[in-house]
């Protein structure tokens, strides 16, 4: 972690150097405001380490869509590519149909929430070629609330996996034939795998903390329940 | 009599005779659903026209829970996914973390893992065989299958201290070597089991009732099975040769000589045969692993506080139900940033609609049994 701090702070020294000659050239001019301290580092962005791994399918994909497909670093040398949302389905269909890729098996489809990144969500497709025995991870980045085109047209097996990602992360898959809840109760509020969602679930924690042992609805009751939760946290 | 009058005259009869689609709820509390699984079946008489699976009754938020524990503490929860194949789940998670860490597991530990994994696979298949037989009406198999599973559970208890959810492997290797006398008991079991499997097959494979209930029932073509991402014996029953142990070898599976049993028709019977034959292959693997057990360390070099490098890893194993995948994301901290389980039961259950369409309602029970689902893994 410590070795990632310098890149954040390095912009500051060049700015100071650039400001210095200017100040010498025009001594009369009011001193330019002191260079702002490097923007507060803020919450740490998620970024993979390691190096970009290549394999046959990734190479074939880059040869065809060279300008839009970028490799992603992977600490354990798994071939990973990042593709733009607009051309996602085209690329997935190419990966499935093209003989050099032949990614006929969708092994897994899931998402993850990165609240500190510019694009808050990522959907990862884990593809495998039964004939060529090769794996590839395709990723697409999304904003909060931005819909992702559905892959059910390419692999019908994406159906439930997309429903699951929709349930737990709130990613909307555009064009999905039956995008309704699958793992959660129908009236569940929120998406549990988002990072801001509390582990116990908002409702459950309030019910537990409530002295009446029942759900709370009124604002003052909710406020009271929150206080009790806070107190318990300090106690434990 | 005009045609209109005629129509009027027969109309009351028509109303009585009118055929309607019936929606039937199978489950959620039904002994044949192997847990809390609800199927909404649309019926025309006894024929299944369509089917909808309603799951999630057992959703415990395991993936969320894991994000609040450190990498080591998160291990035991994954035993609770597929609770009749707990050792395999543990292997999946631990293997994913090892892959991300870049730890090399010593050869001896890999072999011990193979022995325990295959024992667990047999135990899981035995539970499946017993309950699947029970569903279709072959009660006696259950008693025999559970008897043999009991012997395997005793072996787990002797080695790992637990029978059902042993939290078998630490990150980096295994905890213990085989205790004194364990290998001999295990070998004795290996000698007995082939005859016992013959017994089960004697009860079922040639049984006319069993064959009538399973052959040609719940058929899924190889093309559909691949498109729906099915895996494990459910996929291989349709004749697709995909076994993670051969395709993406892990834990030294490339050292062992074994075959992948394949079906042809993709019906309930072929899936049954695949699993039964798989048990025999597992016995072969265990015997080879015990014979060729290398000497050496039990654990690779893993620091006490585990902090994998920032990044992601996807590690898959061949669990008893199919391809079990762990997609783990690390932000460089001591807790998993995201753990996603690709559970074979969940994905395989997708195939049920294709399999059941056009079959009889009684066959739905046979198809559910042939998928070998565990609801703990479906709902997570």
């Amino acid at each position: 972690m410590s070795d990632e701090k310098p890149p954040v702070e390095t912009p500051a020294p060049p700015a100071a150097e650039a400001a210095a000659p200017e100040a010498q050239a025009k001594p009369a001019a009011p001193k330019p405001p002191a260079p702002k301290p490097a923007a507060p580092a803020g919450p740490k962005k998620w970024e993979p380490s390691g190096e970009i791994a290549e394999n046959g399918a990734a190479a074939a994909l880059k040869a065809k869509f060279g300008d839009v497909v970028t490799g992603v670093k992977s600490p354990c040398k798994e071939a990973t590519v990042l593709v733009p949302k607009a051309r996602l389905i085209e690329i997935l269909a190419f990966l499935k149909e093209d003989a050099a890729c032949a990614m006929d098996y969708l092994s897994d489809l899931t998402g993850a929430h990165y609240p500190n990144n510019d694009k808050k969500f990522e959907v990862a497709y884990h593809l495998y070629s039964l004939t060529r025995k090769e794996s590839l991870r395709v990723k697409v980045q999304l904003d909060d609330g931005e819909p992702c085109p559905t892959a059910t047209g390419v692999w019908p097996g994406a159906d439930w996996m997309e429903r699951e990602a929709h349930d737990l992360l709130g990613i909307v898959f555009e064009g999905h034939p039956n995008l309704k809840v699958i793992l959660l109760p129908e009236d569940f509020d929120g998406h549990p795998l988002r990072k801001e969602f509390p582990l116990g679930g908002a409702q459950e924690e309030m019910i537990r903390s409530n002295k009446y042992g029942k759900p709370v609805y009124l604002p003052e009751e909710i406020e009271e329940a929150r206080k009790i939760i806070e107190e318990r946290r300090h106690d434990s | 009599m005009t045609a209109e009058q005629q129509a009027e005259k027969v109309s009351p009869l028509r109303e009585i005779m009118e055929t309607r689609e019936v929606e039937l709820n199978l489950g959620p509390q039904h002994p044949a659903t192997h847990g809390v699984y609800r199927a909404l079946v649309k019926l025309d008489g006894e024929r299944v026209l369509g089917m909808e699976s309603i799951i999630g009754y057992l959703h415990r938020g395991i993936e969320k829970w894991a994000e609040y524990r450190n990498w080591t503490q998160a291990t035991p929860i994954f035993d609770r996914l597929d609770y009749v194949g707990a050792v395999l789940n543990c292997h999946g998670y631990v293997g994913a973390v090892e892959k991300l860490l870049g730890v090399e597991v010593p050869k001896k530990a890999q072999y011990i893992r193979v022995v325990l994994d295959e024992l667990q696979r047999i135990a899981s298949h035995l539970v499946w065989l017993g309950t699947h037989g029970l569903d279709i009406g072959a009660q006696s198999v259950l008693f025999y299958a559970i008897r043999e599973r009991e012997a395997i559970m005793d072996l787990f208890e002797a080695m790992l201290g637990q029978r059902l959810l042993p939290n078998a492997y630490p990150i980096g290797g295994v905890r213990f070597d085989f205790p004194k006398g364990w290998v001999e008991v295990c070998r004795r079991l290996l000698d007995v089991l082939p005859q016992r499997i013959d017994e089960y097959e004697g009860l079922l494979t040639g049984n006319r009732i069993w064959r009538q209930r399973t052959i040609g029932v719940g058929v899924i073509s190889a093309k559909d099975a691949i498109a729906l991402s099915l895996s494990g014996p459910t996929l291989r029953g349709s004749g697709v040769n995909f076994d993670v142990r051969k395709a993406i070898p892990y834990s030294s599976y490339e050292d062992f000589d074994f075959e992948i049993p394949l079906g042809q028709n993709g019906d309930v019977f072929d899936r049954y045969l695949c699993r039964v034959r798989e048990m025999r292959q597992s016995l072969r693997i265990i015997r080879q692993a015990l014979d060729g057990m290398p000497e050496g360390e039990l654990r690779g070099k893993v620091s006490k506080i585990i902090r994998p490098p920032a990044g992601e890893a996807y590690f898959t194993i061949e669990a008893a139900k199919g391809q079990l995948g762990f997609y783990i994301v690390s932000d460089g901290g001591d807790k998993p940033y995201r753990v996603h389980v690709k559970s074979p039961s969940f994905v395989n259950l997708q195939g049920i609609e294709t399999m059941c369409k056009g079959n009889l309602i009684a066959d739905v029970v046979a198809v559910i049994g042939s998928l070998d689902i565990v609801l703990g893994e479906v709902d997570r």
Side-chain angles (χ1 to χ4, degrees), chain A residues 44 46-49 72 74-76 78 80 104-115 124 126 128 130 133 135 137 139 155-161 164 168-169 180 182-184 192-195 197-199, chain B residues 52-53 55-56 59 63-65 67-69 99-100 226-231 235 240-242 247-248 307 309-316 323 327 329-332 336-338 340 342 346-347 349-350 378-380:
Chain A
K44 204 180 125 209
W46 181 83
E47 225 169 274
S49 57
V72 178
S74 164
C76 45
E78 290 177 323
T80 311
D104 45 1
Y105 189 76
L106 175 69
S107 177
D108 188 21
L109 187 166
T110 189
H113 186 200
Y114 303 103
H126 291 95
Y128 181 73
L130 293 173
K133 306 210 181 300
S135 309
R137 181 189 299 126
K139 295 211 295 182
W155 296 281
D159 185 351
W160 283 23
M161 303 180 195
E164 186 203 322
L168 301 180
L169 287 155
K180 56 181 192 179
I182 186 161
L183 291 181
L184 299 176
L193 281 182
R194 291 192 175 207
K195 288 290 172 187
F197 193 93
L199 177 64
Chain B
E52 194 190 343
S53 299
I55 58 172
H59 181 62
E63 292 169 7
K64 180 79 175 175
W65 190 92
E67 288 173 12
Y68 286 76
R69 300 291 183 275
K99 188 174 182 184
L100 196 53
I226 294 173
L228 284 167
S229 300
L230 307 189
S231 59
L235 178 68
V240 183
N241 192 347
F242 175 52
I248 317 165
R307 288 179 199 277
E312 52 208 332
Y314 184 59
F315 180 75
T316 59
Q323 188 191 30
Y327 171 58
V329 181
S330 162
D331 60 352
Y337 187 81
R338 169 96 169 89
H340 173 75
K342 183 256 166 135
F346 176 75
V347 184
L349 196 53
Q350 271 191 108
V378 173
D379 295 338
R380 278 158 286 155

Side-chain angles (χ1 to χ4, degrees), chain B residues 78-80 82-91 120 164-166:
Chain B
F78 296 109
D79 280 11
R80 274 87 181 152
D82 169 7
Y83 35 76
V84 293
V87 171
L88 293 154
N89 296 320
C90 188
H91 192 169
Q120 181 71 83
L164 196 67
L165 307 166

Side-chain angles (χ1 to χ4, degrees), chain A residues 50-91:
Chain A
E51 48 200 86
I52 297 172
E54 284 287 347
N55 67 5
L61 191 65
K62 278 176 192 161
K64 176 94 194 315
F65 297 90
D67 46 340
V68 292
V69 175
T70 46
V72 178
K73 288 177 187 170
S74 164
C76 45
K77 298 190 180 56
E78 290 177 323
T80 311
V81 291
L82 184 67
V83 304
K85 194 196 95 176
R87 301 185 70 180
L88 173 69
I89 295 306
E90 187 192 342
I91 288 170

Side-chain angles (χ1 to χ4, degrees), chain B residues 33-303:
Chain B
T33 56
H34 296 211
V36 267
Y37 162 68
R38 180 171 150 219
L40 201 57
V41 193
K42 221 181 251 172
L43 292 170
D44 172 19
E46 274 196 84
R47 290 271 157 211
V48 176
L49 295 177
M51 195 169 165
E52 194 190 343
S53 299
I54 295 152
I55 58 172
Y57 295 95
L58 208 57
H59 181 62
R60 294 152 292 171
I62 281 179
E63 292 169 7
K64 180 79 175 175
W65 190 92
E67 288 173 12
Y68 286 76
R69 300 291 183 275
N70 69 33
W71 290 95
T72 313
Q73 285 172 333
T75 320
I77 192 70
F78 296 109
D79 280 11
R80 274 87 181 152
L81 287 167
D82 169 7
Y83 35 76
V84 293
V87 171
L88 293 154
N89 296 320
C90 188
H91 192 169
Y93 171 72
V94 164
V97 179
E98 284 157 4
K99 188 174 182 184
L100 196 53
L101 278 171
V103 174
E104 200 181 328
V105 180
K107 202 79 174 164
K108 180 169 177 126
Q110 292 187 11
Y111 271 54
I112 292 177
R113 282 183 178 184
V114 167
V115 172
L116 294 177
D117 277 11
E118 294 306 317
L119 280 174
Q120 181 71 83
R121 190 185 315 280
I122 297 171
S124 169
H125 282 356
L126 285 171
V127 173
W128 156 80
L129 183 70
T131 50
H132 187 35
L134 196 65
D135 288 346
I136 303 187
Q139 269 198 344
S140 41
V141 189
L142 178 75
F143 303 113
Y144 296 117
I146 293 296
R147 178 186 63 188
E148 267 71 77
R149 175 175 176 267
E150 201 59 25
I152 296 174
M153 292 289 114
D154 286 346
L155 283 175
F156 281 163
E157 192 180 1
M159 167 131 184
L160 305 165
Q162 278 276 346
R163 292 157 55 83
L164 196 67
L165 307 166
N167 187 20
Y169 311 128
I171 293 165
V174 292
R175 286 200 178 79
F176 319 105
D177 199 351
F178 297 125
K180 206 177 162 193
W182 193 92
V183 176
E184 284 69 42
V185 179
C186 183
R187 277 184 195 279
R188 236 177 288 149
L189 182 67
L190 295 185
D191 291 338
V192 174
L193 269 176
Q195 299 140 30
R196 299 284 163 85
I197 296 172
D198 288 344
E199 272 178 34
Y200 315 142
E201 284 218 70
L203 283 166
L204 297 176
T205 310
N207 184 330
R208 269 177 71 186
I209 304 170
W210 182 260
R211 291 176 82 93
Q212 278 178 2
R213 286 297 310 273
T214 54
I215 291 179
V217 169
V219 178
I220 188 160
S221 69
K223 203 180 147 218
D224 284 351
I226 294 173
L228 284 167
S229 300
L230 307 189
S231 59
T234 315
L235 178 68
R236 293 194 287 272
S238 300
V240 183
N241 192 347
F242 175 52
D243 186 311
V244 185
R245 291 174 292 176
K246 288 267 190 200
I248 317 165
Y250 58 93
S251 197
S252 293
Y253 267 106
E254 65 275 11
D255 293 3
F256 306 113
D257 175 32
F258 62 102
E259 284 154 24
I260 308 294
L262 293 179
Q264 285 170 344
N265 310 317
D267 56 7
V268 174
F269 187 70
D270 279 15
R271 292 196 277 278
Y272 152 78
L273 272 191
C274 274
R275 290 206 179 86
V276 172
R277 289 186 183 151
E278 232 179 68
M279 286 199 260
R280 295 183 195 276
Q281 298 300 325
S282 293
L283 294 174
R284 268 178 80 184
I285 298 171
I286 299 171
R287 205 165 273 138
Q288 289 171 45
L290 288 178
D291 289 343
M293 184 65 68
E295 286 303 312
E297 295 282 309
L298 290 174
R299 267 187 97 165
K301 286 194 181 69
V302 182
S303 61

Side-chain angles (χ1 to χ4, degrees), chain A:
Chain A
M1 279 200 290
S2 57
D3 54 354
E4 278 178 36
K5 266 186 184 166
V8 180
E9 285 164 3
T10 35
E17 280 167 26
E22 208 180 53
Q24 281 170 1
K26 293 183 203 168
K31 216 181 169 191
K36 278 183 191 168
K44 204 180 125 209
K45 278 189 186 180
W46 181 83
E47 225 169 274
S49 57
E51 48 200 86
I52 297 172
E54 284 287 347
N55 67 5
L61 191 65
K62 278 176 192 161
K64 176 94 194 315
F65 297 90
D67 46 340
V68 292
V69 175
T70 46
V72 178
K73 288 177 187 170
S74 164
C76 45
K77 298 190 180 56
E78 290 177 323
T80 311
V81 291
L82 184 67
V83 304
K85 194 196 95 176
R87 301 185 70 180
L88 173 69
I89 295 306
E90 187 192 342
I91 288 170
L92 292 180
F94 169 81
L95 280 170
K96 189 189 173 192
E97 304 298 339
D98 187 70
C101 305
M103 293 286 168
D104 45 1
Y105 189 76
L106 175 69
S107 177
D108 188 21
L109 187 166
T110 189
H113 186 200
Y114 303 103
N116 302 334
N117 284 18
D118 299 335
K119 293 268 191 178
K120 302 259 186 279
F121 287 92
E122 270 183 15
V123 179
Y125 302 79
H126 291 95
L127 312 180
Y128 181 73
S129 170
L130 293 173
T131 46
R132 296 181 53 250
K133 306 210 181 300
E134 202 173 75
S135 309
L136 179 69
R137 181 189 299 126
V138 178
K139 295 211 295 182
V140 60
Q141 294 181 334
L142 304 165
D143 280 326
D144 197 353
E146 192 183 352
C148 178
T150 177
T152 45
V154 188
W155 296 281
D159 185 351
W160 283 23
M161 303 180 195
E162 286 183 352
R163 278 172 72 185
E164 186 203 322
H166 174 244
D167 250 20
L168 301 180
L169 287 155
I171 299 167
V172 177
F173 290 90
E174 222 168 20
H176 189 285
N178 184 23
L179 196 64
K180 56 181 192 179
V181 289
I182 186 161
L183 291 181
L184 299 176
E186 273 173 20
D187 56 350
F188 193 84
D189 193 21
H191 304 289
L193 281 182
R194 291 192 175 207
K195 288 290 172 187
E196 69 267 10
F197 193 93
L199 177 64
Q203 279 173 331
E204 195 195 279
E205 225 167 288
M206 283 195 178
I207 293 168
R208 273 208 200 136
S209 64
N210 188 332
K211 58 186 173 190
Y212 310 110
K214 60 172 190 183
V216 289
Y217 301 106
L218 298 174
E220 58 265 28
E221 280 182 348
I222 293 173
E223 201 48 49
E224 189 191 0
R226 282 222 176 97
K227 267 183 204 153
I228 298 171
I229 294 169
E230 275 308 307
E231 275 167 25
R232 282 192 192 169
R233 259 188 210 141
H234 287 303
D235 292 347
S236 62

